[in-house]
Structures are given as structure tokens and as C-alpha cells.
Amino acid sequence: MLAGFDEDAEMEFRGVPVGPFHGRAAIAEAYRAQPPDDELRLLELREREGRAEARYAWLAEPDVSAGELILTAENAAIRKLVITFDRGVSWG
């Protein structure tokens, strides 16, 4: 997964007290220090204003939205990834 990030990428978490992380090396270290303990399931996906946005759930609770992923790409690499933790969020 880290290979998809731009060298100067940013990763931001909203709703949990960690980050933000700047640069691929910092993002790699964050995942090494605290790896995810579950896998994601995408519930909805849309493209808006040049970004990919998705509502996601954890596989442990596959029908409960856990938050959103907001991905901005540049030159075929992830430039910024924002991960929100907003249990139950829905798109209207």
C-alpha cells in the first residue's frame, strides 16, 4: 500500500488523536507502530472535485459505516489521504 503514496504525501486522521503524518516514511512508521486491527469494506464510492471519497465499514461490523476515506491523487500517486472515524455516517 505504501508504494502508492507520493514521497511527500500527507495522511490525516479525524476523530482519533494521532497524526497528521507528512511524507511516505512517516506514514510507513505510523503503520508499523500501530497497524490496523481489521480490514475495510467499502460501502459507497464517489468522485468529487478531483478526489475519491468512500464510506467504509470494518469487516467486524460490515453493515455499520465507520467513517470516510478521502483520497487525493496527483501524477498517479496518493497525494493526501484523510480517514475519518464517524460511526454511522451516511450520505444524503
Side-chain angles (χ1 to χ4, degrees):
M1 176 184 143
L2 289 169
F5 282 91
D6 182 85
E7 187 64 36
D8 297 320
E10 298 175 51
M11 186 170 66
E12 176 184 344
F13 292 94
R14 296 182 186 162
V16 293
V18 296
F21 302 96
H22 300 278
R24 189 184 309 148
I27 294 168
E29 180 54 33
Y31 274 99
R32 274 192 293 277
Q34 190 171 1
D37 60 0
D38 199 351
E39 292 184 38
L40 296 177
R41 174 179 181 249
L42 295 184
L43 301 174
E44 292 183 77
L45 179 63
R46 68 182 177 195
E47 190 173 326
R48 288 179 53 170
E49 301 172 9
R51 298 183 308 244
E53 300 179 353
R55 282 190 328 114
Y56 73 91
W58 297 110
L59 287 183
E61 294 183 287
D63 297 320
V64 177
S65 177
E68 293 181 90
L69 304 172
I70 304 163
L71 187 143
T72 305
E74 188 176 285
N75 299 322
I78 299 169
R79 178 71 190 123
K80 183 170 186 175
L81 177 60
V82 177
I83 304 162
T84 71
F85 293 83
D86 303 313
R87 185 178 165 82
V89 69
S90 62
W91 291 347

